[in-house]
Amino acid sequence: MMRNVGSSSSSGKGIAAVVGVGPQLGRSVARKFAHEGYTVAILARDLGRLSRVAEEIAREEKAQVFAIRIDCADPRSVREAFEGVLSLGFVEVLVYNAYHSSSSYPSHHPTSFTHIPFQSFQTSISVSVFAAFLCAQQVIPGMMDKGKGTILFSGCSASLNGVAGFSELCCGKFALRALSQCLAREYQAFGIHVAHVIIDGVVGPPSIHFLNLEIYGERRKREELLLVPHTAKRKKHRTERNGRRAIIQYWRSRWRRRR
């Protein structure tokens, strides 16, 4: 399903398709392309929320924005969504920013490998790389015909280093990095630029940084918690929790002073 928001564009630029538009990075990327004069297609699962984002960007940037529903875990949904995208015109830019976050095991919390359901692992791989594969296949022929185009895949720390407790995320991100390198080497001669952009940090306001200190500042300690016996884990967890509270309070006070 597709919804059109905003006025028509006459900039002469192609379509910028952004897959995986959430409240932070995806929305900001879509807004930037709209600001630069592109007609933007934003894709995500929740069409209602997506339509509100499209209206916001179209109103602020005076651009044409299309909201298209896509389920990156479903190949049929990906193909149907890109039928809609391609009907808009030449897709000059593809940004793939989708990833899977299990409701049972959120991506920002480590999960013991033996506790990961196979279905959840399979879905994570599908969203991280299978759907990226399909999206790229849909737009590359048109880019080859025009002799130009850009494909950007978003990565993170997990694209480079395996982390205990994050097998789902790391395996998918590793594979996405490999896919981007293969495409870059294969299609460079056709004028198509393919890049894997690694964002090695937390995207969001300072409060998000404070809430995620235990992931980045205390990662090694959290990895160790996954390996110790259950009884020792609970005792050590209490100690670590108190330490994390002190760290968060310290950085909060510094941030407030800067304001």
Side-chain angles (χ1 to χ4, degrees):
M1 185 177 291
M2 176 170 61
R3 294 180 184 173
N4 175 20
V5 180
S7 58
S8 60
S9 172
S10 58
S11 66
K13 295 184 178 180
I15 308 298
V18 184
V19 182
V21 174
Q24 297 170 359
L25 179 61
R27 181 171 64 178
S28 297
V29 170
R31 179 182 284 111
K32 177 62 176 177
F33 278 105
H35 182 75
E36 295 298 325
Y38 286 85
T39 296
V40 180
I42 58 175
L43 299 91
R45 281 189 303 175
D46 187 342
L47 185 60
R49 180 186 57 78
L50 198 64
S51 297
R52 292 191 291 273
V53 173
E55 291 171 0
E56 173 189 314
I57 296 174
R59 181 178 64 253
E60 294 177 357
E61 304 298 339
K62 303 297 188 293
Q64 190 170 29
V65 184
F66 293 85
I68 303 174
R69 186 186 182 280
I70 190 172
D71 182 355
C72 290
D74 181 0
R76 180 177 177 180
S77 175
V78 174
R79 292 189 180 95
E80 290 177 349
F82 268 83
E83 286 179 3
V85 174
L86 294 172
S87 70
L88 303 176
F90 166 54
V91 179
E92 186 174 346
V93 180
L94 168 65
V95 179
Y96 191 84
N97 182 53
Y99 78 101
H100 170 66
S101 179
S102 170
S103 58
S104 300
Y105 303 99
S107 61
H108 56 278
H109 289 302
T111 304
S112 173
F113 176 74
T114 56
H115 293 161
I116 299 174
F118 174 76
Q119 183 62 44
S120 179
F121 186 84
Q122 187 177 47
T123 301
S124 180
I125 298 297
S126 296
V127 173
S128 290
V129 67
F130 291 171
F133 167 89
L134 289 172
C135 292
Q137 274 196 337
Q138 305 304 306
V139 303
I140 283 177
M143 292 179 176
M144 291 179 66
D145 289 342
K146 294 285 187 179
K148 64 177 181 178
T150 300
I151 300 176
L152 303 175
F153 299 107
S154 66
C156 61
S157 309
S159 303
L160 297 173
N161 301 294
V163 183
F166 293 89
S167 299
E168 286 184 82
L169 179 64
C170 293
C171 289
K173 288 300 184 180
F174 264 60
L176 182 62
R177 179 167 166 249
L179 175 66
S180 66
Q181 290 180 356
C182 292
L183 296 182
R185 287 168 172 80
E186 183 172 353
Y187 292 103
Q188 181 180 11
F190 296 93
I192 302 173
H193 175 64
V194 182
H196 180 248
V197 183
I198 295 177
I199 303 171
D200 191 9
V202 180
V203 177
S207 59
I208 298 295
H209 170 72
F210 296 135
L211 293 175
N212 287 277
L213 278 174
E214 66 270 23
I215 300 174
Y216 297 95
E218 301 289 305
R219 175 177 288 170
R220 289 185 180 178
K221 294 179 181 179
R222 290 184 67 87
E223 290 175 2
E224 292 171 0
L225 292 178
L226 293 170
L227 305 176
V228 298
H230 183 66
T231 52
K233 182 192 296 186
R234 286 187 296 180
K235 182 177 180 181
K236 191 170 183 178
H237 179 69
R238 286 195 296 269
T239 303
E240 299 301 330
R241 181 177 58 190
N242 293 335
R244 289 197 300 272
R245 285 176 178 171
I247 293 171
I248 292 172
Q249 289 174 358
Y250 168 75
W251 284 106
R252 276 179 175 162
S253 63
R254 289 195 61 179
W255 178 63
R256 288 169 181 164
R257 285 199 296 269
R258 288 177 184 175
R259 295 181 66 190

